[in-house]
Structures are given as structure tokens and as C-alpha cells.
Amino acid sequence: MATQERGLATRRMILEAAGAVFSERGYSAATVSDVLKRLGLTRGAVYFHFASKEELARTVLASQADIPTVVRDIKLQELIDLGLVFACQLTRDPVLQGSVRLSLELDSVGLDRKLPFRSWVDRNQEILEQARAQGELRPHVDLTETAELLCSCFTGVQLFSQVMTGWADLESRIRALLRHVLPNIAEPSVLVQLDLSADRGLKVGAELSALAEAQEAQEPQENDF
């Protein structure tokens, strides 16, 4: 078990270094050697986990699909929390930062840049479908249109925030976006229950950490032979 954990930790270190390199230099200019310099690992150690720069980039690009969420009784609150957690993590996580640059960079040749956008649209639509089933949405709401609109607006907001403040104000800008969108899609009785407070992203992040720690504590421990 300890060997497996070390392998996962090394893989995560490689992804964080690669994310930072891709975020700073872009796909075309980045090299595996750049990643190695940050890690102090041998080339063989990196290639044990990732066969090429392209595989590293694909894994970094796909990381946006791994953003966790907390199941809520009110599904529109779940949608809010998902966006705010992503905004909060983006300011701290080099893998996500690399993923964002790769998804927006036109010269990421050979990479499926649509992957994270499809992932976000699918997740948005799934939550919106659940919200509709619970009577949270106004009758006119088109689920696919709304899911795609949220994804495209979020992309524009995070890009604007990155240029203007290096993502320092991203959460507040996402809350502003949601304050404009939600009244047009949510039933009034649901709208008044939604929490868009300034510290919501941090609170949900702490909740997710506590849930992860509790789950880890419940997992059976294996002897290290």
C-alpha cells in the first residue's frame, strides 16, 4: 500500500510541475526537460508515469473534470457551489491553471481542447436536469442552452479576471455572473434560498476536505510489507 501511495504522490508531483510549466509557457514552448528541472527527477521517473509531453498535457487538460462537488437538496445551490469551488481552486492549483491555458491556447496542436468544455457542459446540464425534476427552474429554461451559456460565460469571466488581477477577484466575479443569471432561470421561491455569500467557496472547500478526510479514515488499512 505504501508503494502505491508513493506512486500516486509522485504522479501528482509530476502533474503539478507540468501544470505550472504549461500555465507559464504554453504547450508548444513547454518541454519535458522543463518539468524535470522543477522536480529534480530523472527522465525515466517521469516516463514511468507519462509516455510523452502530449500524454502529460492530455492529463492536465482533463483535470477540470475532477472538480468535486457536494450533493445538495437544492440542485441550483449545487451548481453554484461547483462553480465557486472551481474558482477557489483555480487560484491555488497549478494543474488547473495549466489546464485552463491549454484549453484556451490555439496552438495546443494535437490536443482535444473541447474536452474540458464538454465536461463542464455535461455536468451543468446534469445538475440542471435534476433541478428541473425538483421544480427549481422556471418553465422557459432550455437546459442545453443554459448549460452552454454558463460554461462560455464562466470562461470569459475567468479569462478577464486572469488578465486584470491574476484571478485574485475571480470568485467575486463568478458570484456577480450568477447574480445576473440565476433570477432568469430559478423559480422565485428557490432563488431566495440560494447562498452566494462572499465566503461560500471557502466554506464548501472546507466541507469537501472534511468529507475526504472522513472517507480516508473509514478505508481499511493494509499492512505495509
Side-chain angles (χ1 to χ4, degrees):
M1 186 67 173
T3 301
Q4 182 181 0
E5 290 175 350
R6 283 194 295 271
L8 291 173
T10 300
R11 178 183 171 87
R12 178 65 190 180
M13 286 173 51
I14 294 170
L15 285 175
E16 288 181 353
V21 169
F22 288 132
S23 178
E24 294 168 8
R25 307 198 62 187
Y27 181 71
S28 296
T31 66
V32 174
S33 294
D34 295 327
V35 178
L36 292 175
K37 289 176 184 177
R38 289 176 180 264
L39 291 170
L41 295 177
T42 65
R43 188 173 294 270
V46 172
Y47 283 128
F48 177 80
H49 293 277
F50 302 96
S52 64
K53 183 181 84 168
E54 182 179 347
E55 184 179 345
L56 258 176
R58 285 200 304 266
T59 306
V60 169
L61 189 63
S63 65
Q64 292 184 48
D66 298 329
I67 299 298
T69 188
V70 179
V71 176
R72 304 293 185 194
D73 291 334
I74 299 177
K75 292 303 168 182
L76 286 180
Q77 185 66 60
E78 192 172 318
L79 187 70
I80 291 168
D81 292 350
L82 180 61
L84 293 178
V85 165
F86 178 78
C88 189
Q89 289 192 9
L90 183 58
T91 63
R92 301 168 174 83
D93 188 341
V95 182
L96 281 182
Q97 292 169 7
S99 178
V100 165
R101 173 149 185 182
L102 290 173
S103 66
L104 296 175
E105 194 173 50
L106 296 179
D107 65 347
S108 296
V109 179
L111 298 179
D112 182 6
R113 296 189 300 118
K114 296 178 182 179
L115 176 64
F117 296 109
R118 290 195 191 101
S119 172
W120 277 112
V121 169
D122 289 345
R123 290 188 75 175
N124 289 344
Q125 184 155 348
E126 180 181 4
I127 297 174
L128 288 168
E129 287 171 352
Q130 295 170 347
R132 167 155 287 170
Q134 296 186 174
E136 298 177 19
L137 299 181
R138 298 175 67 182
H140 70 272
V141 175
D142 183 300
L143 300 186
T144 300
E145 180 181 75
T146 304
E148 291 179 347
L149 177 67
L150 286 169
C151 182
S152 58
C153 288
F154 191 106
T155 301
V157 167
Q158 71 84 12
L159 182 58
F160 184 80
S161 174
Q162 182 187 21
V163 172
M164 300 300 289
T165 68
W167 290 314
D169 63 355
L170 179 57
E171 289 179 74
S172 65
R173 291 188 183 278
I174 293 300
R175 288 196 304 275
L177 168 65
L178 292 171
R179 282 196 298 270
H180 283 77
V181 172
L182 288 169
N184 291 301
I185 68 171
E187 286 288 357
S189 61
V190 175
L191 184 64
V192 296
Q193 301 179 64
L194 300 178
D195 185 353
L196 278 167
S197 55
D199 60 349
R200 181 69 185 181
L202 289 174
K203 285 182 177 178
V204 179
E207 186 178 358
L208 286 166
S209 296
L211 289 172
E213 290 175 3
Q215 183 178 358
E216 184 177 346
Q218 292 175 359
E219 291 177 353
Q221 300 297 313
E222 298 181 10
N223 293 327
D224 181 20
F225 290 106

